[in-house]
Amino acid sequence: MRTVRTATRRQPALVDLAQARFENTFVRDLPADPVRINIPRPVSNAAYTRVEPTPVAAPKLLAWSDALGEFLGLSRPSATSVEVLGGNRVLAGMEPYAARYGGHQFGHWAGQLGDGRAITLAEIIATDGSRQDLQLKGAGKTPYSRTADGRAVLRSSLREFACSEAMFHLGVPTTRALCLIGTGDPVVRDMFYDGHPAPEPGAIVCRVAPTFVRLGNFQILTANGEIDALKRLADYVIREHFAGFSYAAWYQEVCRRTALLMVDWMRLGFVHGVMNTDNLSILGVTIDYGPYGWLEGYDPMWTPNTTDAQGRRYCYGNQPGIAQWNLARLAEALLPIIEREKLEEGLNLYADTFNDAWRSALAQKLGLESPDEELAAEVLDALAESETDFTLFFRKLAHVPLAGSDNELLAPLRPAFYAVDAPHEKLVAWLLRYVKRVAADRAARMDRVNPKYVFRNYLAQQAIDAMAAGDASALDRLMRVLARPYDEQPESEEFAARRPEWARHKAGCSALSCSS
Ligand code: AMP
Ligand code: MG
């Protein structure tokens, strides 16, 4: 009997992680650390060290990303799989390792860093045929742990889990997160670095990305004169992720992608917080969610990272310049295999790509047909006049009427203002020019680029507090809202509100340390 064929493709059936097939190309194709001893030490002539996760007391599934699970072809995990995701079991076919990398931290070469608490279990083939690494963050000590414990606390793990997925749904290139596992083990942290260490619940995030290779993976090899290994790593990354590119074209493509990533961060008001060269991905995706934050009141000097409060090296406005600085450090690391001229071209391409795309992004945010640099520069200046919520301002700007009194022009924007009685003279002057330049039907277009919902720090903190009290439903609800950040979702209005006053100076809501 002949069967009917329909145009819709059937969703492949989801399988449990324990039934999945794994690959290990990173391990197979790159030089391994010949030493297998799992104690902190300098490693040489290697891209990674084989190491297994350290078991935890009582792994418990706290959150799961259905969207990512479906993409990977994975069903919600069985009890066995929760053991695997908590680091208590390694499945047949997995060859776990910690990667070796170095990096510039806050502008200074820090030597060997490496996966001090992240362990990649294996690669899995996603439903689109792509190969994806499964990595546990907080899975125990590795040779790269230095003096630290290899673990992660619930608050930072939840923040990484949720923000990875929120960024994906915002359309920003990012590593993903499959699940959040409570370990049942306490982890001692001095949260404020003020000499008061205290136990906190421990957790593990399973992160997913085509690769977790960072700029620093190349830097450490060149810094140690391991040029053969450098070539092998470059060949591997190009073969797997930049097929057909020459070394020079690859570097330039990394520059181009990183420039577009910076435009995404800037257009959304995302501040990474720790843009060290070991925290920049070779794929140009967002990686390593630590003391990140989202602009509330627009302020180019704002940083969520208390460790950076003095220098503000990684503040919102510095991010595009810092990314280029980091790419210049990568260029130095690639000098043994790429001509200086080609590397310089890459850095120029970075600047040109960023400048062009940022101009367009601002035009889109304003709902303009074509870029208007003056109007864009002036709105940012006007936003600094009084504390104005970056996300809400652009979302509400779509609803400013094309004519009216000062008050009528300002009315739709009021929810974005933190200070009720602040002057808005600059802003009104700007609005009067703005409404002459835009069309009445711009709202739908603007809504597609100006999200209503971002993962504000206070929302994160509320989800953390609920989870710590044993309630996973708050995170679950928040994740469902953040899966459609550009939609109105009137039933979830409270998640779009500007930061409440109670959160202005509350730890976790306004500023974060690197303690995680
Ligand atoms: P980060 O600033 O989080 O990107 O981390 C910088 C370096 O410190 C990386 O090599 C991390 O693997 C390592 N690291 C951070 N926290 C821990 C920890 N609790 N245990 C071991 N290594 C860590
Ligand atoms: Mg890092």
Side-chain angles (χ1 to χ4, degrees):
M1 189 175 69
R2 284 189 291 274
T3 54
V4 294
R5 280 191 218 162
T6 60
T8 52
R9 256 197 304 153
R10 248 198 321 139
Q11 282 288 344
L14 303 182
V15 300
D16 183 51
L17 180 68
Q19 258 73 59
R21 266 187 353 95
F22 304 109
E23 298 188 359
N24 301 278
T25 63
F26 191 93
V27 168
R28 186 191 67 200
D29 296 348
L30 293 171
D33 177 5
V35 183
R36 295 280 291 260
I37 307 164
N38 189 5
I39 50 161
R41 57 192 164 80
V43 172
S44 52
N45 284 306
Y48 67 90
T49 304
R50 286 174 188 269
V51 57
E52 299 212 342
T54 303
V56 299
K60 182 179 171 201
L61 183 70
L62 301 179
W64 174 265
S65 168
D66 283 315
L68 179 55
E70 277 162 29
F71 172 65
L72 296 177
L74 295 176
S75 55
R76 286 192 165 236
S78 63
T80 304
S81 294
V82 171
E83 294 281 322
V84 175
L85 294 164
N88 285 10
R89 244 177 114 134
V90 172
L91 294 168
M94 291 179 159
E95 298 184 41
Y97 68 89
R100 174 172 174 241
Y101 55 79
H104 280 84
Q105 296 186 316
F106 294 92
H108 304 283
W109 176 243
Q112 176 178 298
L113 298 166
D115 286 332
R117 55 176 167 173
I119 295 180
T120 301
L121 294 176
E123 298 148 14
I124 187 168
I125 306 300
T127 50
D128 70 347
S130 64
R131 190 182 293 112
Q132 304 282 335
D133 290 358
L134 297 179
Q135 182 182 81
L136 304 185
K137 182 167 174 180
K141 284 189 192 175
T142 77
Y144 307 98
S145 298
R146 296 176 290 157
T147 56
D149 62 3
R151 294 303 185 187
V153 291
L154 176 64
R155 58 183 159 80
S156 69
S157 304
L158 186 152
R159 282 169 50 84
E160 172 140 27
F161 170 78
C163 200
S164 305
E165 294 304 281
M167 287 288 258
F168 169 75
H169 293 295
L170 283 163
V172 183
T174 179
T175 62
R176 303 286 303 272
L178 182 61
C179 62
L180 176 66
I181 303 276
T183 61
D185 287 324
V187 174
V188 175
R189 288 289 181 271
D190 186 355
M191 186 163 39
F192 304 110
Y193 295 132
D194 63 356
H196 293 94
E200 298 184 45
I204 293 175
V205 178
C206 178
R207 306 198 290 191
V208 177
T211 181
F212 287 92
V213 169
R214 304 128 192 281
L215 309 192
N217 296 65
F218 297 91
Q219 290 184 283
I220 190 73
L221 300 175
T222 306
N224 287 286
E226 298 166 17
I227 307 308
D228 271 354
L230 175 75
K231 281 199 191 109
R232 280 177 68 179
L233 182 61
D235 290 345
Y236 173 81
V237 166
I238 290 172
R239 191 182 67 236
E240 292 295 327
H241 307 288
F242 297 82
F245 283 76
S246 66
Y247 285 151
W250 158 62
Y251 173 73
Q252 292 174 6
E253 177 65 6
V254 174
C255 291
R256 196 186 66 83
R257 290 191 197 178
T258 305
L260 295 178
L261 180 68
M262 288 309 112
V263 171
D264 270 330
W265 289 3
M266 298 302 283
R267 78 178 174 85
L268 295 167
F270 176 78
V271 186
H272 181 284
V274 203
M275 289 178 69
N276 294 330
T277 57
D278 52 305
N279 289 338
L280 250 71
S281 155
I282 199 67
L283 298 180
V285 306
T286 315
I287 193 171
D288 277 11
Y289 292 86
Y292 66 81
W294 300 82
L295 281 184
E296 286 164 338
Y298 170 77
D299 172 5
M301 295 293 285
W302 184 72
T303 173
N305 182 357
T306 53
T307 315
D308 194 27
Q310 285 298 310
R312 303 198 173 251
R313 179 180 173 84
Y314 299 139
C315 69
Y316 171 75
N318 279 359
Q319 297 188 116
I322 289 290
Q324 191 184 34
W325 189 90
N326 287 348
L327 289 165
R329 304 291 78 74
L330 174 64
E332 287 163 2
L334 296 179
L335 267 173
I337 58 170
I338 303 175
E339 289 161 51
R340 181 179 291 275
E341 233 171 63
K342 301 285 178 197
L343 294 164
E344 279 166 6
E345 277 172 31
L347 291 169
N348 288 330
L349 176 69
Y350 172 87
D352 294 344
T353 306
F354 177 82
N355 291 335
D356 276 359
W358 179 228
R359 215 178 294 132
S360 306
L362 280 171
Q364 285 186 341
K365 284 185 83 63
L366 294 172
L368 302 173
E369 302 288 347
S370 57
D372 181 332
E373 275 183 72
E374 220 179 286
L375 202 65
E378 283 167 7
V379 72
L380 296 178
D381 191 39
L383 286 191
E385 184 181 21
S386 89
E387 196 180 10
T388 305
D389 192 271
F390 183 78
T391 302
L392 281 169
F393 174 81
F394 283 102
R395 184 74 182 186
K396 303 286 183 189
L397 187 61
H399 304 289
V400 169
L402 294 195
S405 66
D406 292 3
N407 254 331
E408 283 163 340
L409 294 184
L410 285 173
L413 299 170
R414 296 236 175 252
F417 300 143
Y418 282 93
V420 187
D421 300 324
H424 297 296
E425 280 152 37
K426 266 192 194 175
L427 187 56
V428 168
W430 181 84
L431 285 170
L432 288 169
R433 269 175 299 132
Y434 171 72
V435 294
K436 292 206 189 80
R437 287 276 280 109
V438 289
D441 65 351
R442 67 196 187 281
R445 254 182 304 128
M446 289 174 72
D447 282 358
R448 284 196 290 274
V449 295
N450 295 321
K452 175 162 178 174
Y453 299 98
V454 296
F455 191 52
R456 294 169 182 273
N457 277 349
Y458 83 88
L459 296 175
Q461 192 57 43
Q462 286 174 327
I464 291 165
D465 291 343
M467 188 68 84
D471 173 14
S473 70
L475 176 62
D476 203 51
R477 170 138 188 256
L478 183 55
M479 298 294 288
R480 266 181 279 128
V481 174
L482 294 173
R484 294 162 47 215
Y486 298 99
D487 290 358
E488 268 304 312
Q489 308 190 57
E491 69 288 359
S492 300
E493 207 61 38
E494 77 262 33
F495 295 119
R498 65 174 187 264
R499 177 203 58 225
E501 277 310 304
W502 60 258
R504 181 181 287 273
H505 300 295
K506 188 172 155 54
C509 298
S510 57
L512 295 120
S513 73
C514 283
S515 154
S516 61

